[in-house]
């Protein structure tokens, strides 16, 4: 068997005609992986193992090892996220205060918004303090799903691996992550879930905005405001650092100077491009109108703007002199001009000089052109001078505008320093104005929101935390499993991975709200990227993934020990951001789904499946265009991915009750594309157990030639004695699945547990 220690192999039962073919079980708390055990044990805990022996079609025997474990990320991810939520909301309060003086109306709205943020921060601080006190298992049992202080923690998160050993074949293993559907059980589902609540909230927000004299910004514009705020905050310090590097690089080779200048030019262009957004210009006008004592042009015959200036902010008279001297003209040679696109949903203030902001952000481009022109002139004269005076430095050869004598090296450095400093000051001044403008947009969004907006943000934070904990767990497990697979690693950095979430929720009663929560939570995972880093040591604490970022974008850093990190491709070692594409497929299977299909509405399920099929199909096309097929895993069943996708596409549009084939096809496609598999129901306990064991036995039949006569026997054995019944025991202290006879009658074929393993229990 190769995996069982301490002579336990002697306990194997040879009588295969027993009711169950379980041959060995253990609960040893550590992961038994001969290659990555030490790494995995830092994240996965309290493992339970079961080993079976099954007969193949050629009368040989296979050994199947089933292993289930808890994950430390169940609690560490929520704690990190809550800390980031607190940090972000605290920063938002400071940003609102930094808006400066506002008219009494806007100042009162600002105070109200700050009060709401204070309330959220206080609640999150209390929750974090309670989580820090938590001791015990590394998972939240299903019976605790409604507890307020555990609302950010995923329900019953576990990993499960099936490892198959066959004669004369390399071992194969199949992983799945099981987790309760990410949903806000503490807030309940009386009024629906996130998808419905957000839609209703957006429609109501328009009337609230009017009542508070706020401008209504639709979700895409508020999202854009957050993106601009993030981009500006990232690029400003980066541009400043590159500008300083440019001054240092003039002491190095011309090539080094050019490299730094190229980077500076690229980042400044990105900065200017972000500022050209019509939303920034409009928000500046609105902010101007919100200042105390604002007077429109129609109220005065001598209009003036406190922000208007003929010269460009940050461009000093001295820098103009230097720049004009280098260019040989009174103005820089290059100038960018905005061509903003009008949007009817964005206000238009005629009383404010609309061209003023165009001049402001264009000043950044002009300052950059001064720097470029200065470096060009220095290098040109340096090249000419090398023929007559090769010992001169780059800065020795610039000619002054006021005298014919050559400048000293100090003079040259000073003049380049002037235009570089001008660029830094200009970027800083413009960034501050842009930052205030988009913060004012977010103030109006928050001020126009009802108290429901606060609850929705908390609900979305909660659901996202549960979803991210599951995704991080699955990513780490998949990465550890593929560390020696060059094809997988190439796919990882070239196109990313697909994360396929299988849901068994019904579209009836409360589970509709759970599914609506889950849909938004899984979709929000698009905002997450991963990076692989080198761990400081091989201690368990150094191997824990860490999270950084804000609500609009998070990065999960996954550390690896030195020996594993050094074997990775350059792209991964250099910290390339890695994408994971989440997709969700749902098929309800219980008696509530029977009611929904006959008397209710299943349009939510149909829409989710159709939408996510299109996402999955898009990923497949990208994968095929980027990665050779040799990088993908090999399976015994010869059906190719394209054929499976076509069949899945047909099934998602076919009107068929409890069409579980959608789930089977999505799971097969995910495994063939090196993806990460997740299975969920309300608690990841009962229906999830039926699905996981069915998939395992189907894989044994299709990929490892399990004798058909043993299929049902193997299925019953895994459900009666395997890891999933242990999961039930861990959750409710009872070895019975929470099914009644009516539910079993409603289940599709092969989703029913064996006799004696189900009954009415408190779940």
């Amino acid at each position: 068997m190769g995996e069982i220690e301490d002579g336990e192999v002697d306990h194997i039962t040879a009588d295969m005609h027993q009711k169950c073919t379980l041959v060995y079980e253990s609960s040893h708390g550590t992961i038994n992986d001969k290659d990555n055990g030490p790494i995995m044990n830092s994240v996965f805990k309290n493992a339970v193992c079961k080993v079976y022996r099954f007969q193949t079609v050629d009368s040989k025997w296979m050994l199947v090892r089933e292993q289930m474990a808890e994950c430390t990320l169940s609690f560490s991810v929520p704690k990190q996220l809550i800390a980031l939520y607190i940090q972000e909301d605290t920063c938002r309060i400071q940003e609102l205060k930094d808006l400066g003086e506002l008219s009494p109306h806007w100042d009162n709205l600002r105070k109200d918004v700050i009060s709401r943020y204070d309330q959220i921060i206080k609640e999150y601080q209390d929750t974090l303090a309670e989580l820090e006190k938590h001791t015990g298992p590394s998972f939240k049992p299903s019976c605790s799903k409604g507890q307020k202080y555990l609302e950010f923690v995923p329900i019953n998160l576990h990993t499960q691996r099936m490892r198959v050993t066959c004669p004369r074949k390399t071992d194969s293993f199949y992983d799945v992550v099981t987790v309760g559907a990410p949903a806000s059980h503490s807030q309940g589902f009386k009024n629906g879930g996130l998808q419905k609540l957000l839609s209703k909230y957006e429609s109501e927000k328009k009337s609230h905005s009017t009542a508070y004299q706020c401008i209504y910004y639709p979700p895409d514009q508020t999202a854009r405001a957050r993106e601009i705020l993030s981009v500006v905050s990232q690029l400003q310090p980066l541009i400043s650092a590159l500008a300083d590097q440019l001054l240092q690089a003039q002491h190095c080779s011309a090539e080094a100077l050019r490299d730094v200048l190229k980077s500076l030019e690229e980042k400044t262009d990105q900065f200017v491009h972000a500022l050209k957004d019509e939303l920034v210009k409009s928000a500046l006008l609105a902010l101007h109108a919100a200042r105390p004592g604002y007077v429109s042009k129609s109220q005065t015959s001598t209009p003036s703007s406190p922000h208007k200036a003929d010269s460009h902010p940050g461009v000093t008279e001295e820098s103009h002199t230097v720049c004009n001297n280098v260019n040989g003209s009174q103005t820089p040679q290059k100038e960018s001009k905005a061509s903003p696109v009008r949007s009817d949903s964005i206000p238009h203030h005629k009383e404010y000089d609309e061209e003023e902001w165009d001049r402001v952000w264009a000043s950044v481009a002009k300052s950059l052109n001064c720097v470029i022109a200065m470096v060009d002139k220095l290098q040109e004269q340096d090249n000419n001078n090398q023929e007559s005076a090769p010992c001169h430095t780059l800065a020795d050869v610039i000619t002054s505008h006021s005298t014919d004598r050559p400048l000293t090296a100090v003079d040259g450095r000073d003049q380049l320093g002037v235009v570089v400093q001008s660029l830094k000051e200009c970027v800083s001044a413009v960034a501050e104005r842009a930052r205030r403008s988009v913060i004012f947009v977010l103030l109006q969004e928050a001020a126009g929101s009802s108290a429901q907006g606060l609850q929705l943000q908390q609900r979305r934070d909660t659901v996202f935390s549960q979803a991210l904990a599951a995704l991080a767990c699955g990513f780490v497990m998949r990465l550890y499993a593929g560390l020696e697979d060059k094809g997988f690693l190439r796919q990882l950095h070239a196109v990313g991975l697909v994360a396929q979430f299988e849901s068994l929720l019904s579209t009836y009663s409360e589970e509709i709200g759970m599914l609506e929560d889950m849909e938004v939570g899984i979709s929000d995972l698009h905002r997450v990227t991963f990076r692989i880093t080198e761990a400081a040591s091989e201690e368990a604490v150094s191997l824990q993934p860490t999270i950084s970022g804000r609500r609009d974008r998070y990065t999960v850093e996954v550390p690896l020990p030195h020996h594993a990190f050094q074997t990775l491709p350059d792209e991964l070692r250099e910290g390339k951001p890695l994408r994971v594409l989440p997709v969700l497929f749902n098929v309800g299977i219980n008696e509530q789904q029977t009611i929904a299909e006959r008397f209710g509405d299943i349009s939510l399920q149909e829409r989710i499946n159709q939408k996510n099929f299109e996402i999955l199909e898009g990923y497949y096309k990208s994968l095929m265009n980027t990665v050779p097929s040799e990088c993908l895993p090999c399976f015994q069943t010869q059906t190719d991915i394209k054929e499976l996708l076509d069949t899945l596409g047909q099934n998602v549009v076919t009107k068929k009750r409890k069409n579980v084939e959608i789930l089977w096809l999505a799971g097969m496609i995910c495994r063939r594309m090196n993806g990460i598999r997740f299975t969920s129901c309300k608690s990841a306990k009962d229906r999830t157990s039926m699905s996981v064991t069915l998939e395992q036995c189907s894989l044994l039949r299709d990929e490892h030639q399990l004798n058909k006569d043993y299929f049902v026997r193997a299925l019953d054995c895994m459900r009666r004695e395997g890891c999933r019944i242990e999961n039930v025991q861990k959750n409710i202290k009872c070895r019975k699945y929470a099914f009644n006879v009516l539910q079993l009658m409603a289940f599709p074929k092969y989703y029913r547990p064996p006799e004696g393993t189900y009954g009415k229990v408190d779940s």
Side-chain angles (χ1 to χ4, degrees):
M1 293 172 63
E3 295 286 348
I4 300 178
E5 299 85 8
D6 302 325
E8 296 290 350
V9 69
D10 295 335
H11 297 173
I12 294 178
T13 303
D15 183 8
M16 295 308 298
H17 297 287
Q18 295 183 92
K19 189 173 184 180
C20 182
T21 51
L22 178 71
V23 294
Y24 172 77
E25 61 181 312
S26 71
S27 179
H28 42 63
T30 58
I31 301 297
N32 233 334
D33 188 300
K34 60 183 178 182
D35 299 317
N36 297 313
I39 306 177
M40 296 187 73
N41 283 320
S42 64
V43 178
F44 303 108
K45 304 287 185 183
N46 300 327
V48 174
C49 172
K50 301 294 179 86
V51 179
Y52 315 88
R53 189 168 75 152
F54 299 126
Q55 194 174 50
T56 62
V57 293
D58 56 359
S59 299
K60 291 185 170 52
W61 299 96
M62 73 173 88
L63 285 171
V64 178
R65 178 192 183 90
E66 191 185 37
Q67 185 166 273
M68 180 183 70
E70 300 165 14
C71 182
T72 61
L73 302 182
S74 285
F75 284 86
S76 71
V77 166
K79 287 192 287 187
Q80 291 183 67
L81 267 183
I82 295 171
L84 290 173
Y85 292 153
I86 294 170
Q87 177 182 321
E88 180 179 347
D89 291 342
T90 302
C91 289
R92 184 62 51 78
I93 288 175
Q94 188 57 51
E95 289 168 350
L96 291 173
K97 292 178 179 178
D98 290 343
L99 278 176
E101 275 193 282
L102 298 174
S103 66
H105 169 73
W106 285 106
D107 193 45
N108 288 333
L109 288 178
R110 173 169 57 181
K111 289 176 181 176
D112 181 55
V113 170
I114 288 175
S115 175
R116 292 189 211 170
Y117 280 125
D118 281 333
Q119 180 185 342
I120 261 191
I121 290 170
K122 177 65 169 61
E123 290 185 21
Y124 284 5
Q125 287 173 334
D126 292 345
T127 299
L128 184 58
E130 289 297 320
L131 288 178
E132 294 290 358
K133 298 176 186 175
H134 177 82
T135 57
S138 299
F139 80 105
K140 179 174 81 173
S142 62
C143 56
S144 300
K145 58 178 170 281
Q147 289 192 16
K148 178 69 176 174
Y149 89 96
L150 291 175
E151 63 180 346
F152 290 89
V153 181
I155 301 167
N156 192 20
L157 176 62
H158 283 79
T159 62
Q160 185 150 330
R161 168 170 291 179
M162 180 177 72
R163 187 163 192 157
V164 185
T165 303
C166 293
R168 297 182 298 278
K169 288 185 179 180
T170 305
D171 285 10
S172 301
F173 57 85
Y174 306 91
D175 293 338
V176 64
V177 176
T178 60
V179 62
S184 180
H185 291 271
S186 60
Q187 287 194 23
F189 309 98
K190 182 179 180 180
N191 298 312
L194 274 171
Q195 190 271 335
K196 178 180 179 181
L197 293 172
L198 286 170
S199 178
K200 182 181 178 183
Y201 167 70
E202 284 302 326
S203 62
E204 291 178 348
K205 199 165 69 170
K206 293 182 180 180
S207 59
H208 281 287
S209 296
T210 303
Y212 285 100
Q213 301 178 32
C214 298
I215 302 161
Y216 170 71
Y217 292 95
D220 61 323
Q221 290 180 8
T222 54
R224 178 63 183 149
R226 291 186 175 90
E227 183 181 348
I228 292 170
L229 184 62
S230 176
V231 168
V232 169
S233 299
Q234 290 172 9
L235 288 180
Q236 183 202 338
L238 190 55
I239 291 171
S240 181
L242 286 169
D244 291 337
Q245 287 180 33
L246 187 70
L247 292 178
Q248 296 296 323
Q250 64 181 315
H251 302 293
C252 305
S253 66
E255 183 179 358
L257 186 66
R258 273 289 161 194
D259 288 343
V260 177
L261 181 62
K262 182 180 178 182
S263 297
L264 178 63
E265 194 172 358
E266 289 175 353
K267 297 304 177 184
T268 307
D269 283 345
Q270 293 174 21
F271 181 79
V272 171
H273 180 74
L275 299 182
K276 288 169 65 176
D277 197 293
E278 173 71 6
L279 179 63
V280 179
K281 181 176 180 179
S282 170
L284 275 168
L285 304 182
L287 178 58
H288 172 72
R291 297 296 184 191
Y294 167 72
V295 179
S296 68
K297 284 188 176 182
S298 60
Q299 295 173 290
T300 177
S301 58
T302 57
S304 63
S305 168
H307 301 300
K308 183 177 179 179
D310 291 331
S311 63
H312 306 292
V315 182
T316 63
E317 181 179 353
E318 182 181 6
S319 68
H320 269 301
T321 302
V322 173
C323 190
N324 291 341
N325 175 62
V326 172
N327 286 329
S329 62
Q330 292 304 308
T331 57
Q333 293 175 341
K334 300 179 184 177
E335 179 176 351
S336 301
K337 185 65 179 173
S339 299
V341 178
R342 281 274 165 229
S343 173
D344 293 338
S345 61
I346 297 179
H348 175 49
H349 298 271
K350 291 183 178 179
E351 63 272 20
Y352 192 73
D353 183 356
E354 295 198 25
E355 294 184 0
E356 193 266 346
W357 177 240
D358 294 346
R359 293 192 296 272
V360 167
W361 64 255
S363 66
V364 176
K366 291 182 177 181
S367 295
L368 175 65
N369 289 339
C370 288
V371 174
I372 295 171
M374 175 66 74
V375 173
D376 286 344
K377 191 69 174 179
L378 288 172
Q379 291 198 319
E380 178 186 346
Q381 295 194 12
D382 181 50
N383 292 335
N384 294 336
N385 186 68
Q386 285 178 357
E387 299 178 3
S388 58
C391 59
H392 287 181
T393 64
L394 179 67
D396 286 332
V397 296
I398 184 169
T399 304
S400 170
H401 66 283
S402 59
T403 177
D404 292 334
R405 67 176 177 81
L407 293 178
T408 65
V410 174
D411 291 333
R413 285 196 297 270
D414 286 348
Q415 290 203 6
L416 182 58
V418 168
V419 291
V420 167
Q421 183 62 28
S422 170
L423 174 64
K424 290 171 60 177
E425 292 174 358
C426 186
V427 167
S428 178
V430 173
E432 183 58 30
R433 294 188 63 180
R435 189 179 293 114
R436 289 185 181 186
S437 75
V438 293
I439 290 170
F440 189 63
V441 171
L442 300 179
L443 169 61
Q444 292 175 89
E445 180 206 26
S449 305
S450 62
Q452 183 191 11
L454 179 68
Q455 279 189 323
L456 273 179
Q457 184 62 70
Q458 290 176 297
R459 188 181 193 109
R460 198 165 189 171
D461 288 347
T462 297
V463 174
F464 178 75
S465 173
Q466 296 177 27
L468 181 57
L471 180 65
C473 170
F475 181 88
V476 170
M477 190 178 196
R478 186 66 191 88
L479 175 64
Y480 288 176
L483 284 175
E484 297 181 359
D485 185 342
K486 293 183 179 179
F488 164 75
L489 295 175
R490 178 176 176 179
Q491 175 187 347
L492 179 59
H493 70 73
V495 71
L497 302 179
V498 66
Q500 184 250 328
F501 288 81
E502 169 189 311
S503 169
L504 299 159
L505 293 172
S506 69
T507 53
Y508 182 80
S509 189
E510 283 193 341
E511 290 197 5
I512 295 180
M514 296 176 203
L515 184 56
E516 289 173 340
D517 273 0
M518 186 177 188
E519 179 189 9
V520 174
I522 300 305
S523 178
D524 282 348
L525 293 175
H526 283 92
R527 299 183 274 127
V528 178
T529 56
F530 289 81
R531 288 179 63 243
I532 302 175
T533 61
E534 184 174 0
S537 71
E538 296 197 13
E539 297 294 325
V541 66
S542 297
L543 295 172
Q544 295 296 314
T546 57
I547 307 171
S548 60
R550 301 165 63 109
R551 285 182 178 91
D552 59 335
R553 188 168 297 141
Y554 288 102
T555 299
V556 181
E557 293 192 350
V558 181
L560 291 178
H562 174 78
H563 63 89
F565 184 78
Q566 291 303 316
T567 64
L568 297 177
D570 292 343
E571 292 86 350
L572 297 180
R573 285 189 284 112
E574 291 166 2
K576 181 178 180 179
L578 309 174
R579 293 179 60 243
V580 175
L581 189 74
V583 292
L584 168 65
F585 290 92
N586 184 86
V587 176
I589 63 170
N590 65 2
E591 83 288 357
Q592 290 187 330
Q593 187 63 21
T594 303
I595 297 173
E597 289 176 338
R598 294 188 178 182
F599 310 109
D601 180 11
I602 62 170
S603 59
L604 173 63
Q605 174 175 288
E606 292 173 338
R607 181 182 57 76
I608 288 174
N609 291 342
Q610 180 62 43
K611 175 184 174 183
N612 285 273
F613 167 73
E614 292 169 2
I615 296 173
L616 185 62
E617 189 176 40
Y619 173 82
Y620 166 75
K621 291 176 181 177
S622 177
L623 179 65
M624 291 298 100
N625 291 333
T626 309
V627 177
S629 58
E630 298 79 44
C631 292
L632 301 179
C634 296
F635 284 82
Q636 291 295 316
T637 47
Q638 297 301 311
T639 310
D640 64 17
I641 302 175
K642 182 65 170 65
E643 186 176 340
L644 290 171
L645 268 171
D646 290 342
T647 308
L648 177 60
Q650 294 167 9
N651 274 271
V652 297
V653 297
T654 299
K655 300 291 184 180
K656 180 181 176 182
R657 292 177 180 174
K658 298 182 182 175
N659 189 2
V660 290
E661 191 171 352
I662 290 174
L663 303 180
W664 301 344
L665 288 164
M668 284 190 283
I669 292 167
C670 174
R671 292 196 185 279
R672 278 164 170 73
M673 294 197 298
N674 270 327
I676 312 170
R677 281 272 294 116
F678 300 83
T679 298
S680 298
C681 59
K682 181 168 67 174
S683 302
K685 178 171 58 67
D686 304 307
R687 282 170 283 179
T688 293
S689 295
M690 300 302 103
S691 179
V692 168
T693 50
L694 177 57
E695 182 184 29
Q696 289 183 167
C697 287
S698 297
L699 286 166
L700 294 177
R701 177 194 62 201
D702 299 339
E703 300 298 323
H704 301 280
Q705 299 183 317
L706 174 67
N707 191 314
K708 291 181 180 180
D709 294 337
Y710 277 81
F711 181 82
V712 174
R713 186 185 302 184
L715 193 58
D716 285 353
C717 180
M718 286 184 175
R719 290 171 176 174
R720 187 188 303 276
E721 304 290 346
C723 288
R724 298 317 302 179
I725 198 69
E726 300 297 339
N727 182 273
V728 173
Q729 172 73 31
K730 290 173 69 173
N731 275 271
I732 61 173
K733 311 303 180 188
C734 174
R735 297 178 71 85
K736 284 187 181 292
Y737 300 107
F739 300 135
N740 57 42
V741 176
L742 180 63
Q743 289 173 314
L744 297 184
M745 291 172 62
F747 280 173
K749 188 178 181 181
Y750 297 129
Y751 281 87
R752 300 164 190 166
E755 290 290 336
T757 63
Y758 57 87
K760 186 177 180 181
V761 294
D762 184 11
S763 58

